[in-house]
Amino acid sequence: MPQGCPCGSKYRYTECCKPLHDGAPAATAEALMRSRYSAYALCLVPYLLDSWHRSTRPALGLDDLDPATRWLGLRIVDHAIDAGDPEAATVEFIARFRVGGGSARRLHERSRFRRVDGRWQYLDGEILKPA
Ligand SMILES: [Zn+2]
């Protein structure tokens, strides 16, 4: 997918994750999740920090992103708004990646998001065991 968005959607980057990277608010937690995956693929550290909830945001630097990591694909498994709180959502996803010349690995995570002042932010995540 040479000109597809890094998040693996059917859209071009300029019509998918780039507007979010340029500052547009994500319409849903899933859209934010996709844009954060793309940001990892493109090493957009400032965006990763901006989209991280203040309470859990790490002191992330470019050095914390391994340039040998290649992000191979993203699959959204589930996206749900919390029953009692429309400002909270969870997104379950599987991201595939490869480090250097190693074999492809999977990150299966259920992430929690919160909307703060109209902007979805990543709160934290739980790694799920491979099936
Ligand atoms: Zn995208």
Side-chain angles (χ1 to χ4, degrees):
M1 43 171 194
Q3 47 185 342
C5 188
C7 79
S9 76
K10 60 186 179 185
Y11 304 106
R12 290 167 187 252
Y13 173 59
T14 50
E15 299 161 349
C16 186
C17 291
K18 185 171 191 294
L20 277 59
H21 293 164
D22 288 343
T28 63
E30 177 177 340
L32 185 83
M33 171 61 224
R34 287 185 166 281
S35 74
R36 284 178 51 83
Y37 174 88
S38 290
Y40 273 106
L42 300 170
C43 290
L44 300 178
V45 171
Y47 182 79
L48 292 171
L49 293 173
D50 284 348
S51 59
W52 216 304
H53 195 273
R54 180 189 302 267
S55 67
T56 54
R57 186 185 299 155
L60 193 68
L62 248 190
D63 292 347
D64 295 308
L65 297 188
D66 183 352
T69 300
R70 292 279 174 272
W71 294 92
L72 305 173
L74 172 69
R75 185 160 70 87
I76 303 291
V77 178
D78 193 34
H79 169 224
I81 307 282
D82 279 20
D85 184 355
E87 303 298 301
T90 56
V91 177
E92 180 183 343
F93 66 92
I94 297 172
R96 292 184 304 112
F97 63 98
R98 185 194 306 278
V99 179
S103 56
R105 310 214 310 249
R106 283 156 45 107
L107 169 66
H108 188 178
E109 181 179 317
R110 186 182 294 124
S111 298
R112 294 196 301 157
F113 295 84
R114 289 206 59 84
R115 190 161 51 186
V116 179
D117 296 333
R119 303 186 76 94
W120 286 102
Q121 297 192 306
Y122 174 75
L123 183 61
D124 57 18
E126 169 194 4
I127 307 289
L128 303 175
K129 290 249 182 258

